[in-house]
């Protein structure tokens, strides 16, 4: 079991490295105004900018700032991750959901989501992995369950496929729930 967890963590580190290497180039430079605007807060933690916003933690709660240092989404969440395809994953209590760039709750915090095992925590190709009852599946941007939670592990979609793991076997699933292997057929 420990080997599987280590493998998942290694796989996710590689995923994050790939994201960083493929990120959109920016010529953003820290200006005096930007630095001064951030001094009004004592950040407990900060995340990475994506889609113009970065998660920040103040007083134990997370929100988002823009590149001017202005707080766009108040620090109301127990945890917040980066934006992808216009939505960011947030946690309230022990449940996860998604907000838009105005802070509007688009998908309610209903998911168990053990994101530490799956750092693929945002939307890719219109779908996001969610964790419910010990299994992974996928939802769309309205929260509709597109692929049932059948998998022990599910990675992000890329080029129309997501890698999935169940019963000691790896395979792929497409955006319609069709598997390249029959391991998910009961």
């Amino acid at each position: 079991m420990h080997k599987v967890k280590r493998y998942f963590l290694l796989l996710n580190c590689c995923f994050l490295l790939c994201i960083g290497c493929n990120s959109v180039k920016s010529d953003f430079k820290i200006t005096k105004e930007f630095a001064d605007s951030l001094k009004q807060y004592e950040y407990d933690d900060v995340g990475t900018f994506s889609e113009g916003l970065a998660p920040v933690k103040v007083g134990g709660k997370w929100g988002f700032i823009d590149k001017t240092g202005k707080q766009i989404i108040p620090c109301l969440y127990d945890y917040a991750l980066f934006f992808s395809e216009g939505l960011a994953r947030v946690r309230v209590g022990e449940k996860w959901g998604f907000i838009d760039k105005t802070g509007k709750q688009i998908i309610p915090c209903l998911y168990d989501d053990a994101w530490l095992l799956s750092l693929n925590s945002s939307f890719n190709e219109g779908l996001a992995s969610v964790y419910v009852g010990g299994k992974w599946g996928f939802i769309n941007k309205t929260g509709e369950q597109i692929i049932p939670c059948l998998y022990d592990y599910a990675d992000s979609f890329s080029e129309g496929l997501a890698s999935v793991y169940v019963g000691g076997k790896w395979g792929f699933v497409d955006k319609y729930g069709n598997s390249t292997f029959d391991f998910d057929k009961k």
Side-chain angles (χ1 to χ4, degrees), residues 169-185:
K169 297 180 183 179
W170 284 94
F172 294 96
V173 65
D174 69 16
K175 292 180 183 183
Y176 307 100
N178 301 309
S179 170
T180 57
F181 298 101
D182 65 357
F183 59 81
D184 60 322
K185 310 258 187 304

Side-chain angles (χ1 to χ4, degrees), residues 10 30 32 36 45-46 56 75 84 86 96 118-119 121-122 126 136 140 161 165 173-174 177:
L10 178 62
I30 294 178
K32 181 177 178 355
D36 287 346
D45 201 351
V46 297
V56 294
C75 294
S84 178
W96 291 81
S118 180
L119 295 177
S121 52
S122 295
W136 288 92
N140 67 15
L161 296 173
Y165 177 84
V173 65
D174 69 16

Side-chain angles (χ1 to χ4, degrees), residues 44-117:
D44 302 327
D45 201 351
V46 297
T48 303
F49 273 96
S50 65
E51 299 186 14
L53 298 175
V56 294
K57 183 178 180 184
V58 177
K61 296 290 184 177
W62 288 84
F64 290 84
I65 61 169
D66 66 13
K67 287 188 176 180
T68 69
K70 179 182 175 188
Q71 191 169 47
I72 302 300
I73 300 171
C75 294
L76 304 171
Y77 302 99
D78 294 318
Y79 204 87
L81 297 170
F82 58 88
F83 276 89
S84 178
E85 296 186 18
L87 298 175
R89 192 172 290 211
V90 294
R91 189 183 84 209
V92 175
E94 295 301 316
K95 299 293 183 176
W96 291 81
F98 293 84
I99 60 171
D100 68 11
K101 291 182 182 182
T102 68
K104 180 181 177 189
Q105 187 87 45
I106 302 300
I107 299 171
C109 293
L110 303 171
Y111 301 101
D112 301 333
D113 188 4
W115 67 270
L116 284 174
L117 290 177

